[in-house]
Amino acid sequence: MSVNAYDDTPAPSSSESANRGPLQGIRVLDISTVYAAPIAAMLLGDFGAEVIKIEHPTGDPARSHGAHKDGQGLWWKVISRNKKCITLDLGTPEGQQILRDLVVDVDVLVENFRPGVLEKWGLGPDRLTALNPGLITLRVTGFGQEGPYAERRAFGTLAEAMSGFAHQTGEEDGPPTLPPFGLADGVAGITGAFGVVTALLHRNGPEGDGQGQVIDLSLLEPLIGILGPGPTAFDQLGVIAGRQGNRSPNNAPRNTYLTKDDRWVAISASATSVAERVMRLVGRVDLVEQPWFSSAGERSRNGDLLDDAVGKWIAARPFDEVATEFERVGAALAPIYDVEQLMKDPHVLARDMITTVDDEDLGPLAMQNLMVRMLGTPGAIRFPGRRLGQDNAQIYRDTLGLGTASIEALRGRGVI
C-alpha cells in the first residue's frame, strides 16, 4: 500500500477540540518504536502536545502486535492516539537531513534506539541541540546510555526480571512470575512523560534560559523505584523479600478469596481499624483481642490464622452479600474483574474511565481514557492511531515547504 494513499485525510488539530490541554503549543517528534517511549509520547499528546510519529516506511513493529480487526492493530489505535503519522528512513543520508530539518522547529524528541545508533547517523543530541538549543531529548533504553549493560538489547521483560519484581511475584512455593503485559514499559512511559514535562518547566522557567536537555531513561530504574524499600531493608537488615502469593508482608488480612457463587474478591486491611472491622464482621472478636493484633507486622505473621477465618466466612456467602456487608461495616473489598466486568462497572461507566472515540477505520472504538483528570486544563483523545504515512503530505508540505512532486520523489526513492 502506498504510504501516501490516505494523505488527503488530515488529522484533527488541537484547535479543533474544546479540550486543548496544558501542553498545547508543544511540538513532539516521536521516532521511537513499540511501547515505553511511545507511551510517553502518547501521554504528551493526550494533554495537548502536537505529536508527529515518525516510522520507518515499513511501519512500527507495534502495528503488528496484539489483536487485530479488519487488518487494524487495536493496540496501535490506543498507543498512537493523538499522533500524526509520517514515514522516514533515518538510515539514509537524505532521511537524516530531513530529520535535522524537522528538529529545528520542535520542542521534544522521543527516541529509543540503542546507544550510539543516532550518533552514528549524525543525529546525536550534540548535533541536534546545535540546531535547536531548546530541544529536549527523551532517550529510552533498556539499561541507560552508560554502564556495562548499556549496549545490550533489552525489553521490559528483562527489567521485570532484574528489578526484583518477578522474584517477589507468584506463590511462595512457585516460580518467579512475569506480568502478562508491558509493566516495565508502562512505568517507564509514565516516568518519561514526567521527565519531559519537568524539563519543559525548567527550560521555560526563570533559571532555564530557554535551554533544553537530554533525559536518560532506562526501563530498569523506574521499576526499581516503585518496588518499595527493598534496597533499604536489605542495606539495614539484610532482608531479601520473597514471594508471598497475594499476601502482603506489611499487613493482614490481605488476600484474594472465593465467594459461595464462585466470584473472586480482594480485600486489604492496611489500617488496624479496618482489620478490626473485618474480623468482627467474620465473627472472630477473639482474634481482635489478641495482643499482637494491633501491630500490622504481627498480623502479617499470623496471616494463616486470619486468612482461614476470613476465607471461611466469605466462602459461605454469595458475592452480593459479601460486598454489602463489607460496605456496611466500612471495610475495603473489591471484586476481581475481567475486562468485560470492568467495562460494565457503574463507577467505571460514571467516570468514563473507558471512553469511546470515533475511528476512521473501525467506527466507534472503546479505549482507556486519560490517566489524569485536570479540571482546569483537561486533555482529550482527539483521534486514534493513524494509518502508515497518513500525514506525510501535510507535515512535509506545511513544515518543510515541500511540494507534491518533491514528496512523491522522496517516496519513490524509499526515503518516506
Side-chain angles (χ1 to χ4, degrees):
M1 180 184 70
S2 167
V3 294
N4 290 298
Y6 303 104
D7 282 348
D8 58 346
T9 308
S13 67
S14 348
S15 60
E16 293 172 16
S17 170
N19 298 327
R20 299 182 178 184
L23 296 181
Q24 185 190 18
I26 299 297
R27 176 174 273 193
V28 179
L29 285 184
D30 176 11
I31 63 172
S32 63
T33 60
V34 192
Y35 295 142
I39 288 173
M42 178 197 79
L43 293 170
L44 299 174
D46 282 352
F47 288 96
E50 179 189 7
V51 181
I52 300 171
K53 172 73 175 181
I54 296 180
E55 302 173 73
H56 189 275
T58 58
D60 187 328
R63 287 184 178 272
S64 64
H65 287 197
H68 282 63
K69 181 182 178 183
D70 298 338
Q72 303 294 324
L74 301 182
W75 185 211
W76 175 262
K77 291 293 185 181
V78 177
I79 202 174
S80 293
R81 67 193 191 191
N82 293 333
K83 299 180 184 181
K84 298 175 181 178
C85 288
I86 67 173
T87 53
L88 185 63
D89 185 353
L90 297 177
T92 66
E94 200 169 2
Q96 293 155 14
Q97 184 56 49
I98 289 174
L99 184 70
R100 295 186 195 103
D101 294 339
L102 289 170
V103 158
V104 171
D105 193 34
V106 302
D107 300 279
V108 180
L109 177 74
V110 177
E111 66 96 359
N112 64 348
F113 288 92
R114 291 175 68 193
V117 172
L118 289 186
E119 285 81 357
K120 181 181 68 175
W121 290 341
L123 300 173
D126 56 337
R127 294 285 300 274
L128 299 184
T129 301
L131 297 171
N132 180 353
L135 180 68
I136 293 163
T137 302
L138 173 62
R139 312 196 77 178
V140 184
T141 55
F143 299 108
Q145 297 293 319
E146 301 175 326
Y149 303 159
E151 295 189 12
R152 287 188 181 182
R153 296 189 180 276
F155 297 98
T157 298
L158 277 64
E160 290 147 10
M162 290 182 62
S163 64
F165 172 84
H167 175 76
Q168 297 180 63
T169 306
E171 294 300 323
E172 185 175 1
D173 57 352
T177 302
L178 295 166
F181 64 97
L183 174 66
D185 292 273
V187 173
I190 296 169
T191 306
F194 167 75
V196 168
V197 172
T198 303
L200 286 168
L201 283 171
H202 175 264
R203 186 194 72 177
N204 299 337
E207 304 298 325
D209 297 326
Q211 298 296 305
Q213 62 182 294
V214 175
I215 302 167
D216 178 4
L217 175 66
S218 78
L219 296 180
L220 183 59
E221 289 158 269
L223 195 54
I224 291 175
I226 68 165
L227 285 177
T232 307
F234 177 74
D235 173 67
Q236 296 296 306
L237 302 171
V239 172
I240 299 176
R243 294 181 286 286
Q244 301 190 51
N246 292 312
R247 287 184 175 174
S248 167
N250 303 313
N251 65 82
R254 191 263 201 182
N255 213 323
T256 60
Y257 308 90
L258 188 63
T259 67
K260 184 178 181 179
D261 51 351
D262 292 327
R263 293 284 303 276
W264 284 101
V265 298
I267 73 169
S268 179
S270 298
T272 297
S273 59
V274 175
E276 181 176 342
R277 291 172 201 151
V278 172
M279 300 317 298
R280 289 186 181 277
L281 173 63
V282 303
R284 294 302 304 270
V285 179
D286 59 310
L287 296 179
V288 175
E289 294 171 347
Q290 295 297 315
W292 50 261
F293 190 84
S294 61
S295 166
E298 288 298 318
R299 288 201 308 276
S300 179
R301 283 185 276 277
N302 285 275
D304 286 343
L305 187 61
L306 299 174
D307 267 348
D308 182 66
V310 174
K312 286 179 178 177
W313 187 90
I314 289 177
R317 291 162 176 81
F319 168 77
D320 288 343
E321 180 182 345
V322 170
T324 299
E325 287 298 294
F326 266 73
E327 180 70 20
R328 180 181 65 80
V329 302
L333 173 143
I336 294 178
Y337 281 158
D338 61 26
V339 68
E340 180 181 10
Q341 293 165 327
L342 171 73
M343 293 176 69
K344 292 179 179 179
D345 181 89
H347 187 75
V348 173
L349 291 170
R351 287 183 60 84
D352 198 29
M353 294 182 191
I354 310 297
T355 194
T356 301
V357 295
D358 289 327
D359 179 68
E360 58 192 343
D361 298 308
L362 301 174
L365 189 66
M367 67 176 63
Q368 301 96 319
N369 210 337
L370 275 62
M371 296 183 188
V372 179
R373 293 170 185 260
M374 301 184 66
L375 302 186
T377 54
I381 302 174
R382 299 183 297 279
F383 51 91
R386 307 268 284 168
R387 300 163 185 159
L388 181 63
Q390 187 164 352
D391 300 291
N392 278 354
Q394 181 205 342
I395 298 299
Y396 289 129
R397 180 187 65 240
D398 296 348
T399 303
L400 299 184
L402 300 180
T404 301
S406 297
I407 294 172
E408 286 300 313
L410 288 170
R411 185 173 68 85
R413 294 194 294 274
V415 178
I416 66 173

